[in-house]
Amino acid sequence: MATGRTDPERRDRIIDAALDLIVDEGVAGVSHRKVAARAGVPLGSMTYHFSGMDELLHEAFTRFSGTIVAVFEERLGAATTPDEAREAVADLVHHLSGGNQRELILTHELYTLAARRPAYRELTRTWMGRSRRALEWHFDPATARQLDALIEGLSIHRALETEPHERALTVEAIARITAPRP
Amino acid sequence: MATGRTDPERRDRIIDAALDLIVDEGVAGVSHRKVAARAGVPLGSMTYHFSGMDELLHEAFTRFSGTIVAVFEERLGAATTPDEAREAVADLVHHLSGGNQRELILTHELYTLAARRPAYRELTRTWMGRSRRALEWHFDPATARQLDALIEGLSIHRALETEPHERALTVEAIARITAPRP
DNA sequence: GCCTGGAGCGTACGTCCGTACACTCTCCGT
DNA sequence: ACGGAGAGTGTACGGACGTACGCTCCAGGC
């Protein structure tokens, strides 16, 4: 409380609460009242810190995509050979489609917004761009683009299946896409 | 009006109106009132024909996924060689990610529901199963599974990009995934 | 020619929503 | 010591929502 009354963490806590709420109930279920209750702040704080739901949602998804892409970059940055990079990619696919519903749900909620609203599409575009650049540390641009799409598809399908596919299938698909050109 | 009063098309028109509304405003923006207005039926018809929003949504997405998978099967059924099948797959990717926002939006809305609710996940599971079976008319099961995921990822990324990738990239990715094993 | 069952509809109720805005309270300049 | 500015809050309003339920009105049995 250096400045006395102001609480700089308040905004952040509201955003965190919003993300948690989206996971539990979806963007559709988010309201100022519910977020405020979960964040432990009064309802009036919502309109004080954010111009409306949209600003809150946009900031929430900005934070989320930043977090995800950071993991992506960290894992790929640690790889030093193409083979290590392939392993890292397989890890990422299985991490994203693993038990943690949280990231899966938030990703789909964001994509749904992006499908209709340019402001959110910009967010996914940035996200995809950074992922692709990270893949280009190890692969040529065309391969990176194809591999990025493959990661997306494998993660989604794996998460939605009742019997998630084995790691071997993921590894093989990655190997095929990243195989050196003849 | 053979039976006099009953109107068997009414249910269908409500479902169509619901899908249109989802495209325009998202699942979050769907309400009994809006659907009724768009379908040109009285509000009371909503609760009469459907036990609640959930039943309506489920039927709407059942119809939607059925439509999509039918196109998929038709195009793949027309192919007679693996190369023709590869062409068909490329067509499907570019059709799904082309100008028509409609299918993109509905797909994401469905995936978002599926990420949280088992009843909708069952829908996507069936959809994926039928797609995969269609791919298996031309490719071995493991390849079909990988290819199905690739299609998903390519379609999504292509639709979300500001500068959609060229067909050549799609074709190359498909060729890599479906290349005969050494 | 009436009676009745049930398909289909209009309306009203209680709930929850976003937002505006008057208000309190603390800190700083004087 | 005190006054004002502005950060932060509580509340109340208007509107949209889902749903329950009493109503209308036709088709077929007698």
Side-chain angles (χ1 to χ4, degrees):
Chain A
M1 282 233 200
T3 61
R5 191 88 171 299
T6 62
D7 179 2
E9 296 181 15
R10 181 142 298 194
R11 242 184 97 91
D12 282 347
R13 274 196 296 130
I14 292 173
I15 293 176
D16 287 341
L19 283 172
D20 288 348
L21 191 61
I22 293 168
V23 171
D24 285 355
E25 310 194 24
V27 168
V30 174
S31 73
H32 281 172
R33 282 169 169 82
K34 289 188 200 165
V35 174
R38 194 176 275 240
V41 304
L43 175 59
S45 284
M46 293 293 126
T47 44
Y48 180 73
H49 287 290
F50 302 91
S51 69
M53 277 292 349
D54 227 58
E55 182 177 328
L56 173 55
L57 284 180
H58 198 273
E59 292 215 27
F61 280 114
T62 302
R63 168 174 306 182
F64 167 69
S65 64
T67 306
I68 296 289
V69 86
V71 173
F72 204 90
E73 287 172 343
E74 189 222 315
R75 300 298 245 100
L76 280 173
T80 57
T81 67
D83 271 343
E84 280 181 19
R86 289 185 185 92
E87 273 302 308
V89 168
D91 287 348
L92 286 166
V93 167
H94 283 244
H95 170 253
L96 287 174
S97 60
N100 61 335
Q101 290 289 88
R102 185 184 171 86
E103 290 169 7
L104 171 73
I105 290 176
L106 288 174
T107 300
H108 282 301
E109 294 280 357
L110 173 54
Y111 284 177
T112 299
L113 288 173
R116 204 177 349 256
R117 316 248 320 258
Y120 293 90
R121 190 169 317 186
E122 184 60 25
L123 227 52
T124 60
R125 208 190 57 75
T126 302
W127 176 359
M128 281 167 49
R130 284 182 63 185
S131 299
R132 217 139 64 203
R133 224 173 307 129
L135 289 169
E136 287 175 7
W137 295 337
H138 304 284
F139 307 101
D140 69 87
T143 301
R145 206 152 175 165
Q146 296 170 25
L147 182 54
D148 196 30
L150 179 69
I151 292 168
E152 186 78 58
L154 285 172
S155 300
I156 290 176
H157 280 213
R158 190 161 189 282
L160 256 37
E161 275 166 356
T162 46
E163 201 72 34
H165 63 253
E166 306 284 338
R167 190 173 223 271
L169 193 94
T170 306
V171 170
E172 187 190 10
I174 294 167
R176 285 180 171 183
I177 281 287
T178 62
R181 294 260 229 153
Chain B
M1 283 234 202
T3 61
R5 192 90 170 299
T6 62
D7 179 3
E9 296 181 16
R10 179 141 301 192
R11 241 184 99 90
D12 283 347
R13 274 196 295 129
I14 291 173
I15 293 176
D16 288 340
L19 283 172
D20 288 349
L21 191 61
I22 293 168
V23 171
D24 285 355
E25 309 195 24
V27 167
V30 174
S31 73
H32 280 172
R33 283 169 169 81
K34 289 188 199 164
V35 174
R38 194 176 276 240
V41 304
L43 176 59
S45 283
M46 293 293 126
T47 45
Y48 179 74
H49 287 291
F50 301 91
S51 69
M53 276 293 347
D54 228 57
E55 183 176 328
L56 173 55
L57 285 180
H58 198 273
E59 293 216 25
F61 281 114
T62 301
R63 168 173 307 183
F64 167 68
S65 64
T67 306
I68 296 289
V69 86
V71 173
F72 205 90
E73 286 172 343
E74 189 222 316
R75 301 296 245 101
L76 281 173
T80 56
T81 66
D83 271 343
E84 280 180 19
R86 290 185 184 92
E87 273 302 308
V89 168
D91 287 348
L92 286 165
V93 167
H94 284 245
H95 169 253
L96 287 175
S97 59
N100 62 335
Q101 291 290 90
R102 184 183 171 85
E103 290 169 8
L104 171 73
I105 290 175
L106 289 174
T107 300
H108 282 301
E109 294 279 357
L110 174 54
Y111 283 178
T112 298
L113 288 174
R116 205 180 346 259
R117 316 250 317 259
Y120 294 91
R121 192 169 318 184
E122 184 60 25
L123 227 53
T124 60
R125 209 190 56 75
T126 302
W127 177 358
M128 280 166 51
R130 284 182 63 185
S131 299
R132 217 138 67 200
R133 224 174 307 129
L135 289 168
E136 287 174 7
W137 296 338
H138 305 285
F139 306 102
D140 69 87
T143 300
R145 205 152 175 167
Q146 296 170 26
L147 182 55
D148 196 30
L150 180 69
I151 292 168
E152 186 79 58
L154 285 172
S155 300
I156 291 177
H157 280 211
R158 190 161 188 282
L160 257 36
E161 276 166 356
T162 46
E163 200 73 35
H165 64 253
E166 306 285 338
R167 191 174 222 273
L169 192 94
T170 306
V171 170
E172 188 190 9
I174 294 167
R176 285 181 170 182
I177 281 287
T178 62
R181 293 260 229 153

